[in-house]
C-alpha cells in the first residue's frame, strides 16, 4: 500500500510516464494481488519450470493481465546469481534456446521477453560474457521487445551492442544498491556522531539519482519517454 501510494505521487508529479512494474513475479496469486492493488505492468517468471509448464503458467497470467489492459514480460532460460558457483558448462546450459523462445512468445502472447543470454543478477566475479549470437537468433525469431536482466557490471560497450541488437529494457539493481549503501557508509564514517536518518539518506538518494541519470544517458533514453 505504501509503495503504491509513492508510485501514485510520482505519477502526479513526474513529467514522464511512471510505471509500477512487478519484477520476477513468482506465481499467479501474487500477480493477481499486484494487479488488484494498482500495478501497471507485470513480469511473470516461470523460467524455473520446464518449458511446457512455463508456457502454461505464463499463458494463464497473460490472459488475466490482458483482460485488464496490463502487459506481461516472460522469462526463458535461467538467469542465475552472478555469485553462484557454476561451471562454464552449467552456465551455458542455462542459456535460452531460440526455438523455445519463439514458442513461449507465440503460445502465450507475452508483450516482452527476458531471454537468458549470459547475464546474471548481482556482482560478476570476472567479466560477464553475453552471448550476442543467441541474442541475434532470438531477435530474428521473436518480434517483441527483449529485456536484459542483470545489468550491473556489464561493460558499457556490451550494453550498447545489446541495445543495437534489439534489447529495449535493461534491469539494473545491484549497482544502485551499491552506490546508495556506499554513500551511507562514507557519510557515517566521516560523521560518526550523526544519528538523524534524514541527514545520511539525503546524500545516498542524490548518489543513486546520479547513477540512474548516467544509465538513462548510456541507454540512449534521454528525452525519449
Ligand atoms: P542486477 O542486480 O545484477 O543489476 O540485476 C537486476 C535485475 O535483473 C533485476 O531483475
Amino acid at each position: 500500500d505504501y509503495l503504491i501510494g509513492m508510485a501514485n505521487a510520482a505519477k502526479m508529479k513526474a513529467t514522464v510516464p511512471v510505471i509500477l512494474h512487478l519484477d520476477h513475479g513468482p506465481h499467479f496469486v501474487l500477480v493477481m494481488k499486484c494487479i488488484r492493488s494498482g500495478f501497471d505492468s507485470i513480469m511473470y517468471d516461470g523460467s524455473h519450470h520446464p518449458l511446457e509448464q512455463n508456457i502454461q503458467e505464463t499463458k494463464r497470467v497473460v490472459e488475466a493481465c490482458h483482460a485488464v489492459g496490463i502487459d506481461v514480460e516472460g522469462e526463458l532460460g535461467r538467469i542465475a546469481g552472478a555469485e553462484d558457483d557454476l561451471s562454464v558448462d552449467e552456465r551455458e546450459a542455462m542459456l535460452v534456446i531460440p526455438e523455445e523462445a519463439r514458442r513461449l512468445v507465440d503460445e502465450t502472447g507475452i508483450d516482452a521477453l527476458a531471454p537468458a543470454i549470459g547475464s546474471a543478477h548481482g556482482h560478476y566475479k570476472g567479466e560477464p560474457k553475453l552471448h550476442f549470437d543467441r541474442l541475434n537468433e532470438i531477435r530474428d525469431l521473436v518480434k517483441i521487445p527483449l529485456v536484459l536482466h542483470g545489468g550491473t557490471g556489464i561493460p558499457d560497450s556490451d550494453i550498447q551492442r545489446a541495445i543495437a541488437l534489439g534489447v529495449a529494457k535493461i534491469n539494473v539493481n545491484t549497482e544502485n544498491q551499491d552506490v546508495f549503501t556506499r554513500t551511507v557508509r562514507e557519510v557515517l564514517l566521516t560523521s560518526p556522531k550523526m544519528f538523524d536518518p534524514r541527514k545520511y539518506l539525503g546524500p545516498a538518494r542524490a548518489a543513486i539519482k546520479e547513477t540512474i541519470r548516467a544509465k538513462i544517458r548510456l541507454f540512449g533514453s534521454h528525452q525519449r519517454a
Side-chain angles (χ1 to χ4, degrees):
D1 292 341
Y2 290 93
L3 272 177
I4 286 152
M6 280 162 60
N8 285 340
K11 283 177 190 177
M12 279 196 287
K13 289 193 78 178
T15 53
V16 292
V18 174
I19 299 295
L20 184 59
H21 173 74
L22 172 68
D23 196 26
H24 295 285
H27 50 72
F28 186 81
V29 172
L30 184 72
V31 169
M32 292 305 103
K33 282 186 182 160
C34 288
I35 297 182
R36 184 110 203 244
S37 18
F39 277 61
D40 308 291
S41 167
I42 294 293
M43 176 194 189
Y44 167 69
D45 181 357
S47 64
H48 48 288
H49 293 308
L51 177 68
E52 299 302 331
Q53 198 181 346
N54 187 358
I55 291 177
Q56 250 173 46
E57 309 264 335
T58 306
K59 193 169 173 206
R60 189 165 166 237
V61 168
V62 170
E63 277 166 6
C65 288
H66 282 185
V68 288
I70 289 178
D71 281 355
V72 179
E73 173 186 337
E75 177 170 319
L76 193 61
R78 296 297 307 279
I79 300 169
E83 288 98 349
D84 292 351
D85 252 328
L86 297 174
S87 68
V88 174
D89 283 355
E90 282 166 329
R91 286 210 181 273
E92 300 249 326
M94 295 167 88
L95 295 178
V96 67
I97 295 166
E99 177 52 24
E100 293 187 353
R102 190 198 58 73
R103 280 197 58 199
L104 184 77
V105 172
D106 287 355
E107 293 176 32
T108 64
I110 47 172
D111 305 279
L113 171 70
I117 56 159
S119 61
H121 295 120
H123 290 292
Y124 295 97
K125 282 186 187 134
E127 179 107 328
K129 179 173 174 356
L130 294 191
H131 293 257
F132 290 107
D133 45 345
R134 284 286 159 130
L135 184 55
N136 235 336
E137 281 177 63
I138 293 160
R139 175 67 297 157
D140 287 344
L141 288 174
V142 158
K143 297 300 169 211
I144 57 172
L146 300 177
V147 181
L148 180 63
H149 282 249
T152 298
I154 297 178
D156 289 359
S157 55
D158 279 3
I159 291 276
Q160 278 164 338
R161 195 167 161 202
I163 294 171
L165 287 174
V167 165
K169 168 172 168 277
I170 301 172
N171 288 17
V172 183
N173 175 34
T174 305
E175 194 171 334
N176 296 309
Q177 293 180 324
D178 253 355
V179 73
F180 190 92
T181 307
R182 206 177 327 121
T183 308
V184 170
R185 212 171 263 133
E186 273 162 24
V187 173
L188 292 179
L189 275 175
T190 41
S191 313
K193 295 217 167 93
M194 188 180 281
F195 60 87
D196 182 345
R198 290 167 300 183
K199 297 255 166 59
Y200 57 81
L201 289 180
R205 186 169 54 223
I208 208 171
K209 194 167 162 181
E210 262 328 295
T211 309
I212 292 170
R213 198 191 293 268
K215 292 290 172 218
I216 289 172
R217 290 179 196 278
L218 170 68
F219 298 169
S221 308
H222 180 54
Q223 304 284 27
R224 294 187 57 192

